[in-house]
Amino acid sequence: MHTNPSSPTRRRGARRVSWRARIAGLSLIAVLAGTAGSTAAGAGAVGGPISIGETGCGTPAAHMPAGPILFTVTSTDTRNAYASVYVINLSGGLVFAEIPSLAPAKVLPLSTTLSAGTYALRCVFTDGTVQTSPPFTLTGTAVGAVTGYPPMGDLELEQPVRAYTAYVEAALPTLLADSTTLNADIAAGNLTAAKTDWLTAHLDYERLGAAYNAFGEYDGEINGLATGLPQGTDTPGWTGFFAIEHALWSGRSAAAVQPLTKNLVSKVKALIRDFPSEEVDPGDLPLRAHEILENSLQFQLTGIADYGSGTTLATVYANTQGTTEILSILKSLLAPRDQSLLPTIDQDLKRLQSDLLAQRASNGTWTPLADVAPAQRRRIDSDTGALLEELAPIPNLLTPRNSA
């Protein structure tokens, strides 16, 4: 968990196919950009131009063959209202494709592959207007038809947010206790014990995963990297776990480290006092389900976040635990939207955790990233990439679609 913004990661092409197949019908424009609807836009796609506005959501052809569908949607709205445009089925209330946001006078493609059935277009405008097109019926068979998803309302994430808030509140006292132990080690001049207890406390924080946006300035003060600071690790005022790590493993004296550990305890106490007044953004939970390990790939598995302890693999493992907690909380929302997704993710998580635990010795020490054998390193990187592929659809699956 870091204050640094995450960036897009490179993912294994072999797993990308399965990911695209799973979400081929949802948010194609937003998620897959230029590759969206490549199947539907090919030979044999039907649909054609659609014009939407305050008076309606287009008039698709009443009868079409099942298979690739491509609508070219133009907004003629004169109210300056943006629109979300969905392909829905009329019998099951499912969403099969969408344009998340279409501006007035703009044109975007809406593409997917549909099986036989009766569908419609639904337009939800930012002024609250909801329009539905006349139904259109598809007949015949289709290869690669997408599975529809139940649209989700804003309020459905409220209970998961409460559950995650309770999880964090229950974990914060342990973070404080272990940070206090670390500070006591330094006060006693026991640098060897401090190194062990630093890792314990740091992993407490890394398991918190999805809550860091709700921590405000405390996240940077407790767990901020030196990356981007004016003088790097020599920047005055750099505090938190990574600053303590750098001090401990660069040979600083206990007296030099003491201000940092005292500050850590102070900031954790302040966080505990402040957290009940903060709010976890409901949209953060689905996003962090993917982003926590994306950050691990960016910062831990590149060595950027190693300030001397060689424990980045321990941090990645703690991040997998944080991800597991989020997934357990989101399970009731994810399962009806993709029944195969969570079992696949669970397998991938266990595989990656097994890779990581293979680098932990019986005495609890971890192999530094630079010392991992090449074959094992490739396996860790590969399995992390595969897991990220499976986690990638979650933010989109759990995006509220109130009137779809």
Side-chain angles (χ1 to χ4, degrees), residues 4 21 30 62 85 88 97 115-118 125 132 178 206 230 267 269 288 295 318-319 345 361 369 375 382 391 401:
N4 308 63
V85 186
I88 62 170
S115 58
T118 301
F125 293 89
T132 303
D178 290 337
E206 290 288 347
K267 294 303 181 183
K269 287 180 178 178
R288 301 300 181 251
N295 280 349
N319 292 161
I345 288 174
L369 187 65
S382 176
L391 292 169
R401 298 170 173 90

Side-chain angles (χ1 to χ4, degrees), residues 44 129 161 166 195-196 219 222 224 307-308 314 326 332 363 370 388 403:
T129 303
V161 166
K195 289 181 178 180
T196 298
D219 182 48
I222 292 173
Y307 291 93
I326 294 171
S332 63
N363 65 358
L388 282 170
S403 300

Side-chain angles (χ1 to χ4, degrees), residues 30-375:
V31 177
L32 299 181
T35 63
S38 57
T39 300
V46 297
I50 293 290
S51 179
I52 69 169
E54 55 264 47
T55 59
C57 193
T59 308
H63 299 279
M64 292 179 280
I69 302 290
L70 172 60
F71 295 110
T72 303
V73 185
T74 303
S75 175
T76 61
D77 188 87
T78 61
R79 301 163 299 176
N80 200 32
Y82 284 62
S84 297
V85 186
Y86 304 98
V87 176
I88 62 170
N89 69 344
L90 295 181
S91 58
L94 303 179
V95 175
F96 291 81
E98 71 176 68
I99 297 173
S101 182
L102 179 61
K106 298 298 182 181
V107 182
L108 285 175
L110 177 61
S111 59
T112 187
T113 300
L114 299 176
S115 58
T118 301
Y119 303 87
L121 301 178
R122 181 158 292 162
C123 301
V124 181
F125 293 89
T126 51
D127 69 349
T129 303
V130 178
Q131 302 278 4
T132 303
S133 75
F136 59 93
T137 300
L138 306 184
T139 56
T141 59
V143 176
V146 303
T147 302
Y149 296 85
M152 192 183 75
D154 285 330
L155 300 182
E156 290 188 61
L157 280 167
E158 284 192 353
Q159 191 282 326
V161 166
R162 288 194 296 269
Y164 200 79
T165 299
Y167 165 75
V168 172
E169 288 180 336
L172 286 176
T174 300
L175 172 64
L176 176 59
D178 290 337
S179 299
T180 302
T181 298
L182 168 61
N183 185 51
D185 293 338
I186 295 297
N190 192 340
L191 295 176
T192 300
K195 289 181 178 180
T196 298
D197 292 333
W198 170 85
L199 180 60
T200 300
H202 184 227
L203 297 185
D204 291 341
Y205 191 82
E206 290 288 347
R207 291 188 193 98
L208 298 181
Y212 52 89
N213 268 13
F215 289 170
E217 63 184 15
Y218 295 114
D219 182 48
E221 294 169 338
I222 292 173
N223 208 45
L225 299 174
T227 306
L229 296 180
Q231 300 174 48
T233 57
D234 294 326
T235 301
W238 180 40
T239 63
F241 281 112
F242 292 112
I244 296 169
E245 177 188 8
H246 179 260
L248 284 172
W249 273 270
S250 63
R252 303 272 182 89
S253 67
V257 181
Q258 185 81 78
L260 292 173
T261 57
K262 280 186 175 181
N263 179 270
L264 175 66
V265 172
S266 174
K267 294 303 181 183
V268 173
K269 287 180 178 178
L271 173 60
I272 291 173
R273 290 192 300 268
D274 179 73
F275 185 66
S277 67
E278 299 293 342
E279 294 184 2
V280 176
D281 187 332
D284 278 355
L285 286 183
L287 183 62
R288 301 300 181 251
H290 175 266
E291 191 179 57
I292 291 171
L293 286 176
E294 189 174 53
N295 280 349
S296 292
L297 182 64
Q298 182 180 3
F299 298 110
Q300 306 297 338
L301 293 180
T302 59
I304 290 173
D306 185 358
Y307 291 93
S309 69
T311 60
T312 56
L313 294 181
T315 301
V316 177
Y317 186 78
N319 292 161
T320 67
Q321 292 174 304
T323 300
T324 299
E325 180 65 27
I326 294 171
L327 292 172
S328 70
I329 288 172
L330 294 176
K331 180 178 180 179
S332 63
L333 297 179
L334 287 169
R337 289 169 172 83
D338 191 329
Q339 295 180 359
S340 67
L341 182 60
L342 283 175
T344 302
I345 288 174
D346 183 60
Q347 291 177 359
D348 285 356
L349 262 169
K350 289 178 179 177
R351 184 180 299 113
L352 176 57
Q353 289 178 329
S354 178
D355 297 341
L356 296 168
L357 290 175
Q359 304 303 319
R360 187 178 69 178
S362 58
N363 65 358
T365 61
W366 291 78
T367 305
L369 187 65
D371 296 340
V372 176

